[in-house]
Amino acid sequence: MGPDQALGMLNQMLWNAAIVCAPILGAILVVGLVISIFQVATQLQEMTLTFVPKLAVVTMLLIFLGSWMLGRLTQFAQAMILSIPNLAQ
């Protein structure tokens, strides 16, 4: 296995991780921004006000997108496992 193959695998791994995490991170970012604006407008500084909605959004996203995320990670793992015999050349 050469350095170019190792870097290619690393590149694929990082892109898959970014694609799988992007919906959750984006949703948390939007919810956090909306809640922060609400807290600034009302001067209500309650810690649970930021935590509970984010937790609810993440839970809903994992319910709806969990199978897609798991499928994408499984496909990547299968591709990596199937490429093991080619690495010895």
Side-chain angles (χ1 to χ4, degrees), residues 34-83:
V34 169
I35 292 172
S36 294
I37 292 171
F38 175 74
Q39 283 183 329
V40 167
T42 62
Q43 295 183 354
L44 180 64
Q45 300 299 325
E46 179 65 31
M47 289 301 295
T48 57
L49 185 62
T50 61
F51 182 71
V52 173
K54 288 180 187 178
L55 184 64
V57 167
V58 168
T59 303
M60 295 304 289
L61 278 174
L62 286 177
I63 289 171
F64 291 120
L65 297 178
S67 61
W68 169 77
M69 291 174 170
L70 188 59
R72 182 148 180 117
L73 292 174
T74 303
Q75 286 175 353
F76 176 72
Q78 286 176 347
M80 289 295 111
I81 291 169
L82 292 175
S83 71

Side-chain angles (χ1 to χ4, degrees), residues 2-54:
D4 55 337
Q5 287 178 325
L7 286 175
M9 291 176 146
L10 182 64
N11 187 25
Q12 289 177 356
M13 185 262 314
L14 290 175
W15 275 110
N16 276 318
I19 290 171
V20 167
C21 293
I24 291 179
L25 292 176
I28 289 175
L29 177 71
V30 170
V31 169
L33 184 64
V34 169
I35 292 172
S36 294
I37 292 171
F38 175 74
Q39 283 183 329
V40 167
T42 62
Q43 295 183 354
L44 180 64
Q45 300 299 325
E46 179 65 31
M47 289 301 295
T48 57
L49 185 62
T50 61
F51 182 71
V52 173
K54 288 180 187 178

